[in-house]
Amino acid sequence: MSVRAALPAVVGAPGGRASSAPLLGGDTEPTLFELSRPGRRAWQLPTTGVPALAIEDLVPAPYRRDAPPPLAEVSERDLVAHFTRLSHRQFSVDLGAYPLGSCTMKYNPKVCDAVAALPGLAAVHPAAPARLVQGWLALLVELEETLCAVTGMAAATLQPAAGAAGELTGLLMMRAWHQAQGRQRRTVVIPDSAHGTNPASVTLGGYETVTVPTDPSGGVDLAALRRVLDEDVAGIMLTNPNTLGLFERDIEAVAGAVHDVGGLLYYDGANLNAIMGVVRPGDMGFDIVHLNLHKTFATPHGGGGPGAGPLAVTAGLAPFLPGPRPVRTAGSPGNAPGSADSPGKAGDPGSVRYGWEQPERSIGRVHSWHGNALVLARALTYTLVHGADGLRQVAQLAVLNANWLRARLAGLFDVPFDRPCMHECVVSAAGLRREHGLRASDVAKALLDEGFHAPTVAFPLIVDDALMFEPTETESVQTLEALAQACERIVAEAGTPGGPERIGHAPVRTPVRRVDEARAARHLIPVADGVSETSSPPTG
Ligand SMILES: *Cc1c(COP(=O)(O)O)cnc(C)c1O
């Protein structure tokens, strides 16, 4: 679908006709296109006296647009007011508790932002020669080493831009590793509780997914796993704790069985706040681990901003890592990034300690330059501020909070796997559905009216009407108590006359009420033919 197809029909309409929606106040904030009036613009600069050149003299005809782009024309004042109003009509980790399970939405310390904003980090060009960016290179190397220490791995790449990108990188490395051993494998095993990105990455990586069921205690069904393991299996992808928030107790047996058929173990470490500083994936027998710096290591996420999904591997897989990699060179002249084999100009050899290196059998780049660098700066800051003990405490508090909440909610909802959980807990709203016809999503909507972000609903798929809470380590016991009391009010209201009806219409206190979840995808608003030709571009 093109972007234009999604725009309202009033875009650049002749004569600047806008919709009749109120421009201010009320429940609806107009779009910029509805605020648009021909000729308005959001900047003001004095004329320079430099004569204007016609676009025809500057850009050859084949490269010119046939028509101006259909952009909104608004004044700076209206533009700022529009976005400021919108910024007040949302919910964020800085505003309140955000117990969204599986995707760790936690408060991120502002000191990390302050460091990432330092001009010495933020204003550096990624093509600067190594000898001029020794500090940046030191930061990258130190972060790699820190993540290796936390995961129990030998080497890492910081290039992947997100968890899913780390997964694909890991699978491509798995493939390259098998090929280097002269064998071709076809399948990757995934438990049925896995995060949706896992099977998607397997497909993108050119493998077929084989699913293994969860056993009654919430772990991988070991007997079922043994049945599917054969010489076709390239490896297994696991999250531990899994998406039920449960620790895989049989992990050593799983690792042994997979290694016995020559497969590799991939650890989905998106939510490392469950275990960091306490147990290392490397010690559990994993070969490849990705981490989500934008969940565990202080980069906010959820708004589509940049993330980072570094990948750490065992020594045997290190030669296949994406490159070039930042390395300690101790005294040798630095190389320009991306051209590890053609040395840049030698600086003072004694002062250069970091450079770039292409791993021997690298699968190649998976991101331009060096990944989302400022996310990496935030992550290193986070680890330095906490120290090893602090990181362990993060995990301990995350697990304590989730178990506190699990115990507190146990009387309100069904708890399908009633054993100590890790950083998140899964309850089921199936009881409310049977008695009052309400779904997990109704509880989630009602929580919005209570001032909380919704927990994850309907995931993991293997739990009937799941509600998945991840309180994270950053919330106080008072906040958790308030969340539990909000749940109590909702469940109590469900049992009152008219209660289910009211809950079914929640939320009523949010700027946007209950939305039709399918409409935006099913009913596209067409843009009238030729409309874009009539809008005039900003001049000057
Ligand atoms: C969030 C998450 C992912 C995907 O990470 P992205 O950065 O969104 O690509 C993968 N696995 C698990 C368990 C996750 O929670």
Side-chain angles (χ1 to χ4, degrees):
M1 181 189 80
S2 77
V3 171
R4 278 190 53 199
L7 298 179
V10 294
V11 174
R17 179 178 60 81
S19 85
S20 55
L23 290 191
L24 291 174
D27 276 351
T28 52
E29 172 68 21
T31 66
L32 274 184
F33 293 95
E34 288 162 335
L35 291 171
S36 180
R37 295 293 181 277
R40 288 194 185 158
R41 63 189 185 200
W43 46 270
Q44 226 175 353
L45 293 171
T47 48
T48 59
V50 178
L53 291 177
I55 193 79
E56 289 76 14
D57 297 335
L58 292 171
V59 182
Y63 302 113
R64 287 200 300 267
R65 288 175 174 279
D66 296 333
L71 299 177
E73 299 173 62
V74 288
S75 68
E76 177 176 334
R77 201 269 164 278
D78 287 350
L79 183 70
V80 169
H82 171 74
F83 283 113
T84 304
R85 284 193 301 264
L86 285 181
S87 75
H88 286 248
R89 300 166 71 118
Q90 47 104 332
F91 194 89
S92 71
V93 286
D94 283 359
L95 203 61
Y98 208 127
L100 187 77
S102 181
C103 279
T104 311
M105 297 293 287
K106 68 181 188 182
Y107 175 76
N108 301 288
K110 295 296 167 227
V111 64
C112 302
D113 291 346
V115 170
L118 292 174
L121 293 176
V124 171
H125 196 284
R131 67 197 156 84
L132 298 184
V133 289
Q134 289 291 294
W136 247 125
L137 283 161
L139 186 157
L140 298 179
V141 168
E142 195 176 336
L143 179 60
E144 281 190 6
E145 289 171 352
T146 303
L147 298 180
C148 284
V150 171
T151 54
M153 291 285 145
T157 174
L158 303 173
Q159 283 187 22
E167 290 171 26
L168 178 60
T169 306
L171 285 155
L172 294 176
M173 288 179 65
M174 201 182 264
R175 172 175 287 283
W177 183 81
H178 280 299
Q179 269 164 1
Q181 330 264 317
R183 58 190 185 209
Q184 192 72 42
R185 301 235 161 167
R186 268 189 335 109
T187 60
V188 172
V189 179
I190 296 183
D192 60 2
S193 61
H195 192 275
T197 50
N198 292 183
S201 299
V202 167
T203 304
L204 271 181
Y207 287 114
E208 276 165 44
T209 299
V210 173
T211 309
V212 283
T214 300
D215 72 12
S217 74
V220 171
D221 183 330
L222 207 55
L225 174 66
R226 291 216 164 91
R227 278 197 296 279
V228 301
L229 287 179
D230 59 24
E231 302 283 304
D232 254 355
V233 172
I236 186 170
M237 290 183 90
L238 280 182
T239 309
N240 194 19
N242 61 25
T243 56
L244 295 164
L246 301 177
F247 193 81
E248 190 63 66
R249 292 162 174 163
D250 292 328
I251 188 59
E252 281 173 330
V254 169
V258 174
H259 283 152
D260 279 349
V261 295
L264 295 174
L265 275 88
Y266 184 101
Y267 184 90
D268 178 341
N271 312 115
L272 212 72
N273 58 337
I275 59 156
M276 67 182 169
V278 179
V279 58
R280 304 185 305 172
D283 298 332
M284 297 182 214
F286 284 92
D287 305 286
I288 310 176
V289 182
H290 90 256
L291 307 175
N292 277 24
L293 300 187
H294 50 290
K295 287 180 185 169
T296 309
F297 295 93
T299 284
H301 78 114
L311 192 76
V313 296
T314 54
L317 284 156
F320 301 92
L321 281 168
R325 295 185 54 210
V327 286
R328 276 203 183 77
T329 54
S332 66
N335 295 331
S339 57
D341 38 19
S342 65
K345 273 207 192 93
D348 168 14
S351 69
V352 177
R353 298 208 159 68
Y354 297 90
W356 298 97
E357 192 177 87
Q358 189 70 10
E360 226 177 301
R361 320 182 72 154
S362 175
I363 60 161
R365 275 188 180 283
V366 297
H367 195 286
S368 55
W369 303 112
H370 322 307
N372 285 327
L374 294 173
V375 176
L376 306 175
R378 276 193 184 83
L380 184 65
T381 307
Y382 186 77
T383 62
L384 291 174
V385 167
H386 281 80
D389 290 343
L391 291 184
R392 179 179 310 118
Q393 207 184 7
V394 163
Q396 288 167 338
L397 289 175
V399 172
L400 179 66
N401 277 358
N403 279 288
W404 191 95
L405 196 62
R406 185 180 62 88
R408 190 70 177 69
L409 297 180
L412 291 175
F413 303 104
D414 304 328
V415 184
F417 297 94
D418 200 7
R419 63 163 159 120
C421 61
M422 298 297 289
H423 63 307
E424 56 199 3
C425 63
V426 181
V427 299
S428 164
L432 281 183
R433 188 183 68 224
R434 280 193 301 272
E435 284 167 43
H436 308 296
L438 291 170
R439 309 292 310 243
S441 54
D442 295 313
V443 177
K445 302 281 186 201
L447 274 172
L448 302 181
D449 277 341
E450 296 276 354
F452 292 94
H453 192 279
T456 294
V457 297
F459 182 83
L461 302 173
I462 54 177
V463 170
D464 191 14
D465 248 321
L467 279 165
M468 184 188 213
F469 291 89
E470 179 179 355
T472 85
E473 65 279 5
T474 57
E475 298 308 331
S476 69
V477 70
Q478 286 76 22
T479 301
L480 299 190
E481 175 59 26
L483 173 61
Q485 286 181 11
C487 290
E488 277 173 350
R489 278 193 293 275
I490 294 164
V491 172
E493 165 135 44
T496 61
E501 169 75 7
R502 281 192 299 279
I503 293 172
H505 282 98
V508 296
R509 296 192 193 149
T510 50
V512 176
R513 308 254 163 99
R514 213 170 260 231
V515 291
D516 178 338
E517 286 165 6
R519 189 167 160 215
R522 304 262 163 83
H523 297 280
L524 304 181
I525 303 169
V527 175
D529 275 351
V531 157
S532 68
E533 273 81 41
T534 60
S535 104
S536 54
T539 49

